[in-house]
Amino acid sequence: MSNPRPARTLPADARGKPSDRSESIAYRADLDGLRGLAIALVVVFHVWFGRVSGGVDVFLVLSGFFFTGLLVRRAESTGSVGVVPTLRRTARRLFPAMVVVLAAIVAATVILRPYTQWSDVAAQTLASLFYYQNWQLALTWSDYLAADPSVSPLQHLWSMSVQGQFYLVAIAVVAITAWACRRSGRTTQLRPVLGALIVVAAVMSFGIATNGTATHQGWNYYDSFARAWELLVGAGLAIASPYLRLPHKLRVALAGLGLAGVVLCGWLILDGANRFPGPYALLPVGAAAALIVSGNNLAADQRPLFNRLLSTRRVRWLGDIAYPLYLWHWPILIFYLAERGHPSAGLLDGLAIIAVSVVLAWVTHRVVEEPLRMRSQRGDIADGSVPGKRFATVAVAVAAVPMLAATTLWQTAVGVSPPQPVGALNPVLYPGAEALISGVPTPHARMRPTVFEAPADAPPPTGDGCIADWDNAELITCTYGDPNAARTLAVVGSSHAEHWIPALQVLAQRHPFRIQVYLKMGCPLTLAEDATYKGELIPDCREWSQQVIERLGTDRPDWVFTTGTRPRDDTGDETPPEYLDVWSALGDRGLKVIAIRDTPWLRGNGVRYKAIDCLAKGGDRVSCGMKRTDALDPINPELAPTWSFPNVYPIDLTDAVCDDAVCPVANGNILVYHDEHHLTASYSRSLADELGRQLQPLLGWW
């Protein structure tokens, strides 16, 4: 991650060279080392421990400190921040290495990854290049807990987008404030005014982050407004730096505690991805702030021992390559895991990943960054006299032009004809589940939905806005089937209850009944405090579930239809204890429950994968599927507990999805999954006959 280097202070009578004393006080070599240490921790924790280290939070503090300090010093000395020169120099620091890495990622994606992933990578490439990647990820709540092959090779660039957005806002705020102070004749008030603005903004941002941690952490983690307080802490320290003169013993204590906080953060906070940037982030932010303060306004040789340790040559070298190292390590890790099909890296391959990342970072720094950052002795802007500058410029241009053209053209082409739901299929050509259940012949026909159509072949509530989003605890309910029917089936829970709606709609047309949905993404009906989805907490899931249970008690549907099992982390499936609590709560309200066994979730070696990706890479319906013994337990795990609940009736349609040995990804010419684990609407409709056969004895409606 890139941070502006602190400016060197020049005495008024200097002739182009800083005095030794002024340079030694102004230049913070220890913070270069801190940047190197932080990136080393980020890399190590990503590669081996599958969690965040707090290093990114340290970077954000340093970015706020360096960049704001640079702007304020320039405004104080010249009366203006120099918007255009500042933007030019910032772009020269950030874009060259970014462009080179993005071009490499695009090329590797085309060569190594299935074409079904190209659109996502193209969209994220443009988002990264134009610094809105964090919002792109926030909209999808991508899992940043750990690296695995299903994660984007561009996911780590969210933090660069947050920094880039901050830089633009900081330039505007400091420029406007400096102009206002100059016009009013109060130039000495620049720092106090900016300090007041920073305090107010930081408090508001911290409040957003704290609330977001408790309500919508997946969005909160990437939210620029929630992250702003970390940058603003650094900005505030830059404003206050001339006045921060502390006793030596206090400086030593701050340096020691700060260094310990940076190093130990990832070990003390084991679930930082579920906690940051809320109050728990005070540890890495406070640690970085302590190290900034401990060495402030001191010559290099007078700083505390821990600051001097960060100033050593090897640690500073890590700081020099920190930005390209951050850019390179994540995509190398993700591509390696994807090609090997492993959920994580071991000791030796992890060391190899780090070694390759360091080498590429060093080459990028020497060949691309340094020549373009250097300035000729004749002026402020680098020119052709700087060795290697022309080569670096050509290299960046060669990388940028085809990368930008390819991603833009691909997104434009895809955008012209976005995928559409398939709709009704001819049951003779597309028997789907009936090919398994009834042995209906499967004629030769193209699979539908195709790998391009599949993502859009979702059940109606998704398109109708009739399923509550991740960060929405509001109870949303919609009606399907026959709204005037006397009998009501309530479909309740997560998207795994939702994907049965197309099958139920077919049945409701044949035997009129109302389908009332109560759905929330990632949230099966549960009263557990720690409900999670793919390892990520959904804090309002319990609150939403309580609302639904109370509403069901009021609405009193004839039956409640929900999932009764879920996959285990390794193999097989289970009925967790919290499901039994829900059955009991519904029984207390006199409600009868149909608990359907969940369909298999595609995973291999503990890694989620999409059916369409596997098919696009040349796999077939069987090789892309799962062994039945890996996907499901031999006996439906909900059978035994339902004996204790006379209001709960289990059903199991596994044999309509899996054969005796394998759970394929397509049956009867119909694709089963539109992603890793949700049924396509087309396959769900093909399940209607078997679902009707199992429901009839329970409902008695036909």
Side-chain angles (χ1 to χ4, degrees), residues 1 27 117 180 329 425:
M1 225 171 287
Y27 185 64
Q117 293 183 4
H329 84 281
L425 294 170

PDB file of all heavy atoms in Angstrom, residues 1 27 117 180 329 425:
ATOM      1  N   MET A   1       0.837  -1.182   0.000  1.00  0.00           N
ATOM      2  CA  MET A   1       0.000   0.000   0.000  1.00  0.00           C
ATOM      3  C   MET A   1       0.873   1.233   0.000  1.00  0.00           C
ATOM      4  O   MET A   1       1.873   1.291   0.683  1.00  0.00           O
ATOM      5  CB  MET A   1      -0.876  -0.020   1.257  1.00  0.00           C
ATOM      6  CG  MET A   1      -2.312   0.322   0.978  1.00  0.00           C
ATOM      7  SD  MET A   1      -3.292   0.021   2.434  1.00  0.00           S
ATOM      8  CE  MET A   1      -3.323  -1.762   2.439  1.00  0.00           C
ATOM      9  N   TYR A  27      12.146  13.712   8.745  1.00  0.00           N
ATOM     10  CA  TYR A  27      11.977  12.451   8.039  1.00  0.00           C
ATOM     11  C   TYR A  27      11.801  11.314   9.034  1.00  0.00           C
ATOM     12  O   TYR A  27      12.633  11.114   9.919  1.00  0.00           O
ATOM     13  CB  TYR A  27      13.177  12.182   7.137  1.00  0.00           C
ATOM     14  CG  TYR A  27      12.978  10.942   6.292  1.00  0.00           C
ATOM     15  CD1 TYR A  27      11.970  10.911   5.343  1.00  0.00           C
ATOM     16  CD2 TYR A  27      13.772   9.819   6.478  1.00  0.00           C
ATOM     17  CE1 TYR A  27      11.764   9.781   4.575  1.00  0.00           C
ATOM     18  CE2 TYR A  27      13.569   8.687   5.714  1.00  0.00           C
ATOM     19  CZ  TYR A  27      12.560   8.672   4.757  1.00  0.00           C
ATOM     20  OH  TYR A  27      12.359   7.549   4.009  1.00  0.00           O
ATOM     21  N   GLN A 117     -15.796 -16.555 -15.089  1.00  0.00           N
ATOM     22  CA  GLN A 117     -15.303 -15.613 -14.081  1.00  0.00           C
ATOM     23  C   GLN A 117     -14.784 -14.317 -14.690  1.00  0.00           C
ATOM     24  O   GLN A 117     -14.461 -13.384 -13.955  1.00  0.00           O
ATOM     25  CB  GLN A 117     -14.188 -16.263 -13.251  1.00  0.00           C
ATOM     26  CG  GLN A 117     -14.648 -17.420 -12.382  1.00  0.00           C
ATOM     27  CD  GLN A 117     -13.536 -17.995 -11.524  1.00  0.00           C
ATOM     28  OE1 GLN A 117     -12.409 -17.489 -11.512  1.00  0.00           O
ATOM     29  NE2 GLN A 117     -13.830 -19.063 -10.807  1.00  0.00           N
ATOM     30  N   ALA A 180     -10.265  29.619   2.541  1.00  0.00           N
ATOM     31  CA  ALA A 180     -11.132  30.398   3.422  1.00  0.00           C
ATOM     32  C   ALA A 180     -10.318  31.150   4.473  1.00  0.00           C
ATOM     33  O   ALA A 180     -10.593  32.322   4.773  1.00  0.00           O
ATOM     34  CB  ALA A 180     -12.149  29.479   4.092  1.00  0.00           C
ATOM     35  N   HIS A 329       0.905 -10.010  -3.445  1.00  0.00           N
ATOM     36  CA  HIS A 329       0.835 -11.254  -2.675  1.00  0.00           C
ATOM     37  C   HIS A 329      -0.526 -11.938  -2.769  1.00  0.00           C
ATOM     38  O   HIS A 329      -0.613 -13.170  -2.835  1.00  0.00           O
ATOM     39  CB  HIS A 329       1.193 -10.989  -1.200  1.00  0.00           C
ATOM     40  CG  HIS A 329       0.054 -10.515  -0.363  1.00  0.00           C
ATOM     41  ND1 HIS A 329      -0.392  -9.199  -0.379  1.00  0.00           N
ATOM     42  CD2 HIS A 329      -0.761 -11.174   0.508  1.00  0.00           C
ATOM     43  CE1 HIS A 329      -1.405  -9.072   0.456  1.00  0.00           C
ATOM     44  NE2 HIS A 329      -1.650 -10.252   1.001  1.00  0.00           N
ATOM     45  N   LEU A 425     -39.516 -24.772 -19.739  1.00  0.00           N
ATOM     46  CA  LEU A 425     -38.804 -25.630 -20.679  1.00  0.00           C
ATOM     47  C   LEU A 425     -39.698 -26.792 -21.099  1.00  0.00           C
ATOM     48  O   LEU A 425     -40.557 -27.242 -20.320  1.00  0.00           O
ATOM     49  CB  LEU A 425     -37.520 -26.173 -20.030  1.00  0.00           C
ATOM     50  CG  LEU A 425     -36.430 -25.159 -19.706  1.00  0.00           C
ATOM     51  CD1 LEU A 425     -35.337 -25.817 -18.852  1.00  0.00           C
ATOM     52  CD2 LEU A 425     -35.829 -24.566 -20.971  1.00  0.00           C
TER      53      LEU A 425
END
